Amino acid sequence: MRLYNTLAGEAQEFTPADGKNVKMYVCGVTPYSSTHVGHALSYVVFDVLRRYLEHLGYSVRHVQNFTDVDDKIIQRAQEQGIGVEDLAGRYIDEFFHTMDALNIKRAHVYPRATQEIKPIVATIEDLVDKGFAYPGGGDVYFRVNRSQGYGKLSHRTLDGMMAGARVEVDQHKEHPMDFVLWKGSKPGEPAWDSPWGPGRPGWHIECTSMSMAYLGDELDIHGGGQDLIFPHHENEIAQSEAFSGHEPFSRYWVHNGLLQLGRDKMSKSLGNLVSVEEALERFDPDSIRLYFLGSHYRS
């Protein structure tokens, strides 16, 4: 079987590192609203990939995270007057209900960022000790200049990223493209203790820490939507290879195309979405799966 590897920029013959066991990590949802059919498309794609690999005789270990604390979850919980944990828990339960209805096999592990704080902090401490990260103003940032080959997944250079980019000025950053690993807490936000003061993990570091905790420091397949290539997956590579001291972090990077509604991608932030619950009220689960699979997974 050949898979298009975003890192290589071409389709390559797929073989796992040890020839028989496939370690696959797929980026999961941020549970602050209902799961929509754009999410479902992605998880159907990786469900089919996993099922086919198992059909070929491989043993697949599948890990998929929940980003269960971030700015959007905090804001939505405050709007509804409930706790962050309660809000995230409600939408995680709904996620499982809708994915089960679509006959998507459950991952073997679903780590949640809020339950992995200790290993995340340990990962950040290691990056600081090695000089790849630095504290500033209660936050901790990753030094992109220390990462050889930064931009290799999105096939961009640092200069190219900066050109025309709207980069938020932060007096604590050494370089405008440095990204946050630990966010110092603000009043009323959930926070955990750390060597740099109370705060919470940045978005990118949680996936590095959790994928390595459950799959080791070299994955066979890392998956997600094309909208995650930059900055999320680019930053994951930089911090993961800095932490482990070797590359590649993932041997194959598989990205699905994004479901369109009109001219725009379907996303919670744009508000132009159809929930899986709504789709299932109108269509049979197998019909939805076949509809998704009627187009090439990268289109």
Side-chain angles (χ1 to χ4, degrees):
M1 183 175 67
R2 292 170 65 81
L3 283 176
Y4 185 88
N5 184 355
T6 306
L7 184 65
E10 63 181 10
Q12 297 179 322
E13 191 71 25
F14 175 76
T15 51
D18 69 359
K20 58 182 179 179
N21 297 296
V22 178
K23 296 186 288 184
M24 182 169 79
Y25 184 89
V26 179
C27 281
V29 298
T30 302
Y32 71 94
S33 66
S34 294
T35 306
H36 61 71
V37 289
H39 296 135
L41 179 148
S42 182
Y43 300 125
V44 166
V45 164
F46 288 102
D47 180 60
V48 172
L49 175 58
R50 172 182 164 182
R51 288 174 183 272
Y52 188 64
L53 289 169
E54 291 173 339
H55 168 73
L56 293 177
Y58 295 115
S59 175
V60 180
R61 181 163 172 80
H62 176 194
V63 177
Q64 184 172 306
N65 72 303
F66 286 112
T67 299
D68 62 342
V69 61
D70 86 331
D71 292 339
K72 293 175 181 176
I73 294 179
I74 293 168
Q75 180 181 348
R76 186 64 56 86
Q78 290 173 344
E79 291 171 354
Q80 297 187 11
I82 61 175
V84 167
E85 186 176 350
D86 293 335
L87 182 88
R90 177 204 304 169
Y91 288 118
I92 287 172
D93 289 343
E94 183 188 294
F95 174 85
F96 283 129
H97 173 73
T98 55
M99 294 300 104
D100 288 348
L102 288 171
N103 194 28
I104 292 170
K105 294 180 79 169
R106 292 200 178 193
H108 298 99
V109 187
Y110 285 97
R112 296 170 58 162
T114 59
Q115 298 173 359
E116 305 288 336
I117 300 295
K118 188 174 181 178
I120 291 171
V121 168
T123 303
I124 299 171
E125 282 187 292
D126 182 84
L127 291 171
V128 171
D129 290 344
K130 290 175 177 174
F132 286 101
Y134 60 94
D139 301 330
V140 180
Y141 298 96
F142 185 89
R143 287 187 173 100
V144 292
N145 280 328
R146 280 292 310 274
S147 174
Q148 292 185 348
Y150 185 74
K152 61 187 176 183
L153 183 69
S154 55
H155 307 290
R156 303 159 74 182
T157 64
L158 262 179
D159 289 342
M161 293 173 197
M162 291 290 295
R166 294 167 124 193
V167 181
E168 187 177 337
V169 176
D170 188 328
Q171 62 178 344
H172 301 296
K173 286 186 179 184
E174 296 176 357
H175 187 283
M177 295 302 294
D178 289 352
F179 57 89
V180 70
L181 301 175
W182 184 262
K183 302 180 76 168
S185 65
K186 298 175 183 175
E189 291 187 350
W192 291 264
D193 291 332
S194 81
W196 318 283
R200 55 189 166 92
W203 176 32
H204 315 301
I205 194 65
E206 66 177 74
C207 283
T208 284
S209 184
M210 292 190 287
S211 64
M212 289 187 169
Y214 293 97
L215 293 171
D217 58 14
E218 184 177 316
L219 315 179
D220 291 299
I221 296 172
H222 195 311
Q226 289 174 352
D227 54 340
L228 299 180
I229 294 173
F230 184 87
H232 185 47
H233 289 167
E234 194 73 73
N235 292 348
E236 266 194 77
I237 290 177
Q239 64 201 12
S240 299
E241 294 180 354
F243 176 74
S244 69
H246 72 82
E247 54 183 85
F249 165 49
S250 179
R251 300 175 65 248
Y252 299 84
W253 287 85
V254 179
H255 293 100
N256 62 272
L258 305 176
L259 190 64
Q260 301 289 123
L261 193 63
R263 293 185 176 183
D264 299 315
K265 74 165 186 174
M266 187 175 291
S267 75
K268 289 189 283 191
S269 58
L270 292 174
N272 61 339
L273 53 84
V274 176
S275 73
V276 180
E277 293 269 1
E278 290 172 316
L280 288 169
E281 288 174 3
R282 298 178 59 194
F283 305 107
D284 181 82
D286 281 347
S287 299
I288 296 173
R289 288 178 67 103
L290 282 169
Y291 174 68
F292 292 153
L293 297 169
S295 299
H296 191 278
Y297 78 94
R298 290 182 59 232
S299 73

